[in-house]
Amino acid sequence: MMKQSNWPRPCRTLLAGMMLLTAPAVMAQWSTHYLNGLQKVEKSQWQEAAQDFRAALAIKPAPRRDAVSEVGLIPFNYLPHYQLGRALFFLADYAGALAHFERELEYATIRELPADYNNLLRLREAATAVLQVQRSEGAPAALPWTALLEAGYRLGQGFTIRRLDSLLAAYPALDETGRQEILRWFGEHPPAARGSLARAEPAAALDTLAQARQAAQAAYLQGRYFEALARFDHLATLSPNDATLAAWRARVQFEIARLSAPAPAVAARSDTITRTEYVRAGAPVLVLREPEAATASVRTPTLRLRGYAQDDSGIAAIAFVVNGAALPEAARPLPDAAGKYHFTAEIPLRLGENEIAVTAADLDRQQHTSTERLRLRRLPPLYQTAQFWLITGVGLVFVLGTLVANRLIRNRISFVNRYNPYIAGAPIRDVEMFFGRQQLLERILRTLPNNSLMISGPRRIGKTSLQHQLLRLLKAREDPVYRFAPVLVDLQGVAEESFFAHLIEEARDQLGPAVAAAVAKPQPRTGYGHREFAEDLRTILACLQAGEHDRGAAGRRVRLVFLLDEVDELNRYSERTNQRLRSIFMKSFSENLVAVLTGSNIRKQWESESSPWYNFFEQIAMPALSRAEALQLIHEPVRGFFKFTPEAAERIWQLSEGRPFLIQKFCVRLVNHAIETRRRVIRLPEVERLRHEVREETAS
């Protein structure tokens, strides 16, 4: 042959041009042969398919994944040795099929395609088993191996040859002698010696029938169809009338037949699931569990997709396409015990409409896919919507309007109605204006069930206000042992000769109509003494105890509590009157009568050796208000209307020395001055300006 370099230059140019023109035709020739062969495989035209595969191999012997045809740019996996071996297998050339299967395995390309790789292994195993049978001694010479094997494979019988009688009946040319010879031979060669079933774990090794059923179903879902068929055959011998097992067995037979000789689409299978299924012949099942609605509106920048895919041959990939752009392919999930491939993905969304497609692809030789589409609208964040700003604006207007209205109302209350809650001179009866003294009140309430008390303190320290609060608390007190019946008595200006009559009159007026009806009003006062007082006390206590019975509280004892204010008046009474009063409390009514006395001082020295009240009362000195209590009395009554600066409030506490009367006196004058000047804030200079006036009024 002449070397190219010795050719004339025009010849070399012409040769190069011809090679460039013919290259696409050559490329088109091998891909065309291969694709034509695949079409003939679909029609089970094995002889013609083998010719096309041989032609493709002569041009391009090496397999290739993801090849593309030059004509039409059709993508496909180029596995020429595998496809030729497959055609030879069904042409009964098992030795040739094995040679091409081994050749395909040498390239290792098919190992990347699980469905084709598994099918190659099954066919190689079948070809090896058939060759061993043909070469064994005693094999029937007239056995129609090709027809029998292909028919058995198509019917899903595999190499166990179940129901061999019905299978042989499909060949009328086979006489009875040949039929008996075939049956005898297969009887002498059990299934364990003929194929993959010899290596399968026997179903009988499982502990329970339920475990055997699960193992058979798992083998089917993982694509080990021959193993699954063997397991279902064994289960059928244990439960011959189980319709569910029969359905599973028929399904396995169908899949074995479909792998080797694809048939037209069969009726769609149906699985029970909770959402829409995409079910076609051979296509995987795809289920979306989240989101629940196929069409929805969201405000989040991402959407969480959750679901699962399932197929008898397994799932190759689950892909996500968002608005026409494919997301990076997620890693292939692993199946659970039920053969479901669960997936979870965060899908980015754009504002407005979003089209999302989820596609699951199986591992079949001719890959099938199922797709579910979602249409979602991503709404802008709330703070970017007109409704948000409208609602916010309305809310702000409402809040501002409320504040303005509240200010106008407070201005009217403060300046027009001249709001000034402080009380200077009269005792505090309203609980909202009574501040401090909580510890003292609790001590008195703890002591009253057992002892009487004497509370002493300087004038205007708040003793009378304390008595009014005790009256309120004792009336409302729920005690499991005692029922307290308080009577507040002001002794200021009460003459000695009318003292006992005054006590009974106050008790009749304050203890209710039942007591007033039971005790006559003392007339005249001058004829009413301690004996009459004692008799009326017995009547009052009996009446009160009867009232307890009427209320169903017979277990409680009545405690009549005299709250005696301004007891300094007792100092003007004779020692004899004080002794008689003490005797009533200590001897006659000690179990039912107690008293709380308040005054500046009670006389302790009398003409006798000791005072009538010596060691009778528990004496408590009433202190001034603490700083915290004084500041609370200053600020709380006018909160929201007027404001004392910290310096002004501190100065009021110092000047008043913690005496409630002086605190209220300062506050009354300062608030009145604020109303007159129409100012809400009370400052230190105003306190200093009024200090002398307040002291002069207090001293007068």
Side-chain angles (χ1 to χ4, degrees):
M1 181 178 180
M2 186 178 295
K3 293 183 180 180
Q4 184 177 353
S5 59
N6 295 331
W7 289 17
R9 182 180 182 84
C11 293
R12 294 200 304 269
T13 302
L14 178 60
L15 179 61
M18 292 177 65
M19 292 179 65
L20 288 174
L21 290 174
T22 58
V26 173
M27 293 295 292
Q29 188 176 8
W30 72 265
S31 61
T32 301
H33 282 305
Y34 186 78
L35 294 176
N36 287 340
L38 291 179
Q39 293 177 357
K40 291 170 183 175
V41 165
E42 296 291 336
K43 301 175 183 178
S44 298
Q45 297 174 355
W46 305 110
Q47 190 66 48
E48 294 81 355
Q51 294 175 359
D52 283 320
F53 292 140
R54 285 192 179 96
L57 271 171
I59 301 171
K60 187 176 180 63
R64 179 181 177 185
R65 186 177 181 181
D66 299 327
V68 179
S69 66
E70 291 295 326
V71 178
L73 300 178
I74 301 172
F76 62 96
N77 295 319
Y78 183 61
L79 305 170
H81 292 286
Y82 162 63
Q83 295 295 352
L84 179 55
R86 187 162 172 254
L88 294 176
F89 179 92
F90 288 103
L91 290 173
D93 185 0
Y94 304 113
L98 281 175
H100 283 285
F101 289 154
E102 297 298 334
R103 182 63 174 160
E104 188 69 54
L105 290 173
E106 291 176 2
Y107 286 101
T109 303
I110 196 171
R111 299 178 189 273
E112 301 175 4
L113 304 168
D116 292 319
Y117 178 64
N118 291 335
N119 200 34
L120 182 148
L121 295 180
R122 294 188 185 101
L123 293 175
R124 183 182 68 167
E125 185 179 14
T128 302
V130 172
L131 286 176
Q132 290 176 353
V133 171
Q134 287 180 337
R135 295 166 183 167
S136 65
E137 297 180 0
L143 188 65
W145 290 107
T146 302
L148 184 60
L149 181 62
E150 184 173 357
Y153 199 90
R154 285 176 179 275
L155 293 175
Q157 302 294 335
F159 298 98
T160 61
I161 313 298
R162 302 282 296 179
R163 301 175 185 171
L164 190 57
D165 284 331
S166 60
L167 184 63
L168 295 176
Y171 300 93
L174 187 65
D175 57 14
E176 182 62 22
T177 303
R179 178 175 171 277
Q180 291 297 329
E181 186 179 1
I182 293 172
L183 291 174
R184 179 188 58 78
W185 188 89
F186 275 98
E188 295 174 354
H189 296 77
R194 304 194 304 271
S196 64
L197 296 180
R199 295 191 301 273
E201 178 187 351
L206 296 173
D207 295 333
T208 65
L209 186 62
Q211 290 178 333
R213 185 189 297 266
Q214 292 175 2
Q217 292 173 352
Y220 166 76
L221 293 173
Q222 295 172 11
R224 304 193 308 274
Y225 299 124
F226 291 106
E227 178 186 343
L229 183 61
R231 293 185 182 277
F232 281 120
D233 284 342
H234 177 75
L235 287 168
T237 62
L238 301 176
S239 301
N241 298 323
D242 192 331
T244 304
L245 286 177
W248 272 101
R249 187 172 178 278
R251 201 172 195 181
V252 175
Q253 290 175 339
F254 166 76
E255 294 298 341
I256 291 175
R258 185 176 62 82
L259 284 174
S260 299
V266 298
R269 64 182 184 270
S270 176
D271 295 314
T272 301
I273 56 177
T274 58
R275 272 185 47 83
T276 305
E277 298 180 4
Y278 288 77
V279 185
R280 298 192 299 271
V285 174
L286 178 60
V287 178
L288 286 185
R289 296 192 179 277
E290 187 180 347
E292 295 181 355
T295 304
S297 298
V298 297
R299 294 191 184 276
T300 56
T302 60
L303 175 72
R304 187 170 184 263
L305 277 180
R306 186 174 64 87
Y308 70 85
Q310 187 176 16
D311 190 80
D312 45 26
S313 65
I315 298 299
I318 299 174
F320 305 93
V321 177
V322 184
N323 301 319
L327 296 182
E329 184 175 335
R332 177 185 170 190
L334 296 176
D336 59 13
K340 296 178 180 179
Y341 292 76
H342 295 271
F343 62 87
T344 301
E346 293 291 334
I347 306 298
L349 302 176
R350 67 187 180 190
L351 286 175
E353 296 293 333
N354 289 267
E355 293 279 352
I356 302 172
V358 184
T359 301
D362 62 13
L363 291 170
D364 290 347
R365 176 179 53 81
Q366 290 185 339
Q367 195 172 66
H368 303 90
T369 60
S370 292
T371 301
E372 183 167 358
R373 302 183 184 277
L374 301 175
R375 181 186 296 274
L376 291 101
R377 181 176 181 82
R378 180 189 167 192
L379 303 176
L382 282 175
Y383 64 86
Q384 294 182 0
T385 62
Q387 294 88 340
F388 172 81
W389 291 110
L390 177 62
I391 295 173
T392 303
V394 172
L396 289 175
V397 170
F398 176 77
V399 171
L400 291 175
T402 302
L403 293 175
V404 172
N406 187 51
R407 185 175 182 84
L408 292 175
I409 293 172
R410 290 181 182 274
N411 278 339
R412 181 173 181 83
I413 294 174
S414 302
F415 302 120
V416 178
N417 298 340
R418 303 181 67 84
Y419 176 72
N420 193 338
Y422 297 102
I423 301 172
I428 304 300
R429 291 178 171 84
D430 189 356
V431 65
E432 294 181 356
M433 286 298 297
F434 187 83
F435 296 94
R437 312 297 192 194
Q438 295 303 315
Q439 292 183 351
L440 179 58
L441 286 171
E442 291 175 2
R443 180 179 176 182
I444 295 171
L445 293 175
R446 288 195 305 267
T447 305
L448 276 180
N450 301 310
N451 295 298
S452 297
L453 297 100
M454 173 67 177
I455 301 172
S456 61
R459 296 186 61 204
R460 297 176 178 176
I461 199 67
K463 299 183 295 297
T464 304
S465 298
L466 180 72
Q467 290 280 36
H468 281 281
Q469 297 305 312
L470 274 175
L471 179 68
R472 176 184 61 82
L473 292 173
L474 288 171
K475 285 181 178 180
R477 189 171 181 81
E478 293 291 338
D479 190 279
V481 179
Y482 297 101
R483 178 205 168 189
F484 293 100
V487 178
L488 177 59
V489 182
D490 185 0
L491 296 180
Q492 188 172 11
V494 177
E496 181 178 359
E497 60 272 13
S498 60
F499 170 67
F500 290 107
H502 182 69
L503 293 181
I504 286 299
E505 286 181 355
E506 291 292 340
R508 291 180 73 255
D509 293 341
Q510 298 182 35
L511 294 178
V515 172
V519 179
K521 188 174 182 179
Q523 291 288 347
R525 284 177 174 242
T526 54
Y528 194 89
H530 69 282
R531 290 187 178 88
E532 290 80 7
F533 177 71
E535 289 297 327
D536 287 342
L537 276 182
R538 289 188 181 93
T539 304
I540 291 174
L541 290 171
C543 184
L544 293 175
Q545 195 66 56
E548 283 296 287
H549 284 275
D550 294 340
R551 285 192 293 267
R556 294 197 305 175
R557 289 186 293 172
V558 171
R559 277 284 193 184
L560 182 59
V561 183
F562 277 103
L563 306 175
L564 303 180
D565 191 26
E566 300 293 345
V567 294
D568 301 57
E569 292 290 333
L570 293 177
N571 295 331
R572 298 188 297 106
Y573 297 172
S574 65
E575 182 178 356
R576 184 178 182 182
T577 299
N578 281 271
Q579 289 284 9
R580 286 174 176 173
L581 179 61
R582 180 179 184 274
S583 176
I584 290 173
F585 274 93
M586 292 190 67
K587 296 180 180 179
S588 304
F589 302 95
S590 60
E591 293 184 359
N592 301 100
L593 188 63
V594 290
V596 178
L597 281 63
T598 53
S600 300
N601 183 32
I602 187 169
R603 184 177 176 184
K604 297 182 180 180
Q605 297 297 326
W606 299 79
E607 295 178 0
S608 62
E609 295 181 358
S610 62
S611 168
W613 305 112
Y614 182 75
N615 288 335
F616 178 71
F617 293 105
E618 180 178 341
Q619 298 189 18
I620 300 175
M622 189 170 180
L625 293 179
S626 66
R627 178 178 178 276
E629 293 172 339
L631 293 179
Q632 189 179 24
L633 175 58
I634 294 169
H635 290 294
E636 290 301 324
V638 292
R639 186 176 299 279
F641 296 95
F642 299 97
K643 179 180 179 181
F644 290 84
T645 63
E647 297 82 5
E650 190 77 19
R651 186 58 175 159
I652 293 172
W653 175 66
Q654 294 172 356
L655 294 173
S656 66
E657 298 177 346
R659 288 181 287 177
F661 171 76
L662 282 179
I663 293 175
Q664 300 246 23
K665 195 73 173 179
F666 269 107
C667 291
V668 165
R669 295 295 303 273
L670 289 168
V671 170
N672 285 336
H673 183 266
I675 292 172
E676 293 170 1
T677 58
R678 301 187 70 84
R679 289 185 297 181
R680 288 181 173 274
V681 181
I682 300 171
R683 305 181 186 278
L684 178 61
E686 300 170 23
V687 178
E688 295 292 347
R689 185 168 56 251
L690 292 175
R691 59 181 293 192
H692 297 294
E693 297 180 13
V694 172
R695 284 191 173 275
E696 290 176 1
E697 292 178 2
T698 306
S700 60

